[in-house]
Amino acid sequence: MNARDEILARLRTALADSPPPVQVPRRYRRVDDRADLIEALVDRLEDYRAVVHRGLDALPRLLGGVGRLAVPADVPAHWLRGHTGELHRDAPPLSPAALDGMDAVLTGCAVAVADTGTIILDAGPAQGRRALTLVPDRHICVVRADQVVGLLPEALTRLDPRAPLTLISGPSATSDIELNRVEGVHGPRRLEVVLVDSGV
């Protein structure tokens, strides 16, 4: 028996009569009222300087002034009503230079967390790849009411941990040591969220 095997044998012996691990119940507070969740999300998003619009009717107005719009390949056609400019689907993938030349990007999301005002993308339906939402200067994101949850643990149960997750809490911003805020350094300078009914 070598030294490693001897140490492991001693550990097994020492742990043999130890009590089983204590299971700690995870009872996170939950808000089940959908209206309260939506209002909490709006409050956090606006606090982060995101602009919030309500209803699918806001999309034609928002897209009407967009010249070059990037979208995932599978964006729903009815989201694009009102857009009269250049439409660039990300299939095949647009180059970083092409994305940088876009006026805006329109995507959906996987889930939104009311407590933190965080929108999470996982490259799922109508979301596209990460670069699509990180390079253009303006991100318009459609969030359905049934995608809003109260807390991050609830959001995580809806996500595949192997997926490429992007968490967005307001427009990209950073501050220097003197707390001078600079926007648009690590992503879109403008975030606009369109809250729509479930199933839209």
Side-chain angles (χ1 to χ4, degrees):
M1 176 181 282
N2 61 28
R4 178 183 177 275
D5 292 337
E6 184 179 339
I7 291 171
L8 291 175
R10 287 182 185 176
L11 285 172
R12 284 188 204 95
T13 302
L15 294 174
D17 58 350
S18 63
V22 176
Q23 296 296 322
V24 178
R26 304 280 187 209
R27 291 189 185 92
Y28 299 103
R29 64 179 170 78
R30 292 181 60 133
V31 177
D32 290 323
D33 186 294
R34 180 81 18 211
D36 288 346
L37 284 176
I38 299 292
E39 290 312 311
L41 177 65
V42 170
D43 181 62
R44 300 308 184 282
L45 287 168
E46 289 177 343
D47 191 44
Y48 291 142
R49 299 186 187 177
V51 178
V52 180
H53 307 273
R54 293 180 188 250
L56 200 57
D57 292 341
L59 271 177
R61 181 174 39 82
L62 290 173
L63 299 179
V66 175
R68 292 164 305 201
L69 178 67
V71 297
D74 61 346
V75 69
H78 66 279
W79 287 8
L80 299 172
R81 283 192 323 249
H83 181 253
T84 57
E86 296 176 23
L87 182 65
H88 298 267
R89 292 188 186 274
D90 194 39
L94 298 165
S95 69
L99 287 173
D100 192 43
M102 294 295 134
D103 296 314
V105 59
L106 170 67
T107 72
C109 74
V111 65
V113 184
D115 190 55
T116 60
T118 303
I119 295 169
I120 304 175
L121 284 71
D122 65 359
Q127 298 168 57
R129 60 194 174 105
R130 296 182 78 182
L132 186 64
T133 59
L134 295 176
V135 178
D137 203 40
R138 180 182 178 198
H139 183 188
I140 302 169
C141 186
V142 177
V143 178
R144 296 189 326 263
D146 63 337
Q147 293 177 310
V148 180
V149 298
L151 300 169
L152 187 59
E154 293 172 78
L156 294 177
T157 64
R158 294 187 179 201
L159 299 166
D160 180 349
R162 298 165 297 179
L165 302 179
T166 304
L167 282 72
I168 304 167
S169 295
S172 169
T174 190
S175 296
D176 62 17
I177 196 166
E178 294 176 1
L179 299 181
N180 294 318
R181 182 180 169 103
V182 179
E183 295 181 353
V185 177
H186 307 294
R189 187 184 324 260
R190 296 169 59 195
L191 173 64
E192 297 187 61
V193 177
V194 180
L195 290 171
V196 300
D197 294 333
S198 301
V200 173

